[in-house]
Amino acid sequence: MPVVHCHAAGIDVGSRSHFVAIGQNKEDVKEYGVYTEDLHRLCKDLVSAGKTTTALESTGSYWQPLFVLLQQYNLNPILVNGKFTKYVKGRKTDVQDCQWIQKLHTMGMLERSFIPDLFTEM
């Protein structure tokens, strides 16, 4: 499949930690905490890795603070529905999930979820 987003990252958002993949090798995955300083470090690491877009998968509301910070760092986040990313055969781990999200986003195969903009007039 052709590469659509060559500078994409994939993030598996959790309640206790976030797993971030910037590539498909094991060393391309890093775990971050969920506190504000952790989220800033995550964003800075993505910027320094040359990433320009991110795909996040979250089943709860834990994505919201991270999404806002990714926007502030111009990392163009998209929130994706977990039912479109959960088709990985075999044992599922957070590392495999974030790599799968990164791979799908790189190939342009993820559809963003609708998030209303608070600043758009009705």
Side-chain angles (χ1 to χ4, degrees):
M1 300 236 12
V3 172
V4 176
H5 304 291
C6 59
H7 301 291
I11 304 174
D12 184 32
V13 177
S15 61
R16 295 184 181 165
S17 65
H18 305 319
F19 284 83
V20 179
I22 60 170
Q24 293 299 300
N25 297 317
K26 190 172 184 175
E27 60 271 5
D28 293 333
V29 176
K30 194 168 179 184
E31 182 179 11
Y32 294 87
V34 296
Y35 296 104
T36 304
E37 69 181 44
D38 302 318
L39 301 182
H40 279 285
R41 187 170 58 253
L42 184 160
C43 292
K44 289 176 184 176
D45 287 352
L46 289 175
V47 169
S48 69
K51 299 304 170 186
T52 58
T53 182
T54 54
L56 295 85
E57 185 272 320
S58 178
T59 53
S61 60
Y62 305 110
W63 60 271
Q64 294 171 343
L66 177 57
F67 193 89
V68 169
L69 278 179
L70 290 168
Q71 286 178 320
Q72 289 177 354
Y73 280 85
N74 294 317
L75 289 165
N76 303 308
I78 66 167
L79 179 67
V80 297
N81 190 322
K83 74 178 183 179
F84 300 123
T85 62
K86 294 298 179 187
Y87 299 108
V88 179
K89 290 184 179 183
R91 292 183 62 136
K92 283 187 38 65
T93 65
D94 293 324
V95 171
Q96 290 172 330
D97 279 350
C98 68
Q99 287 178 314
W100 183 241
I101 294 163
Q102 190 267 339
K103 187 175 204 170
L104 292 174
H105 190 39
T106 299
M107 294 184 294
M109 297 181 69
L110 295 176
E111 187 72 31
R112 73 176 59 235
S113 297
F114 173 71
I115 301 173
D117 186 352
L118 296 175
F119 303 105
T120 303
E121 293 184 32
M122 298 283 209

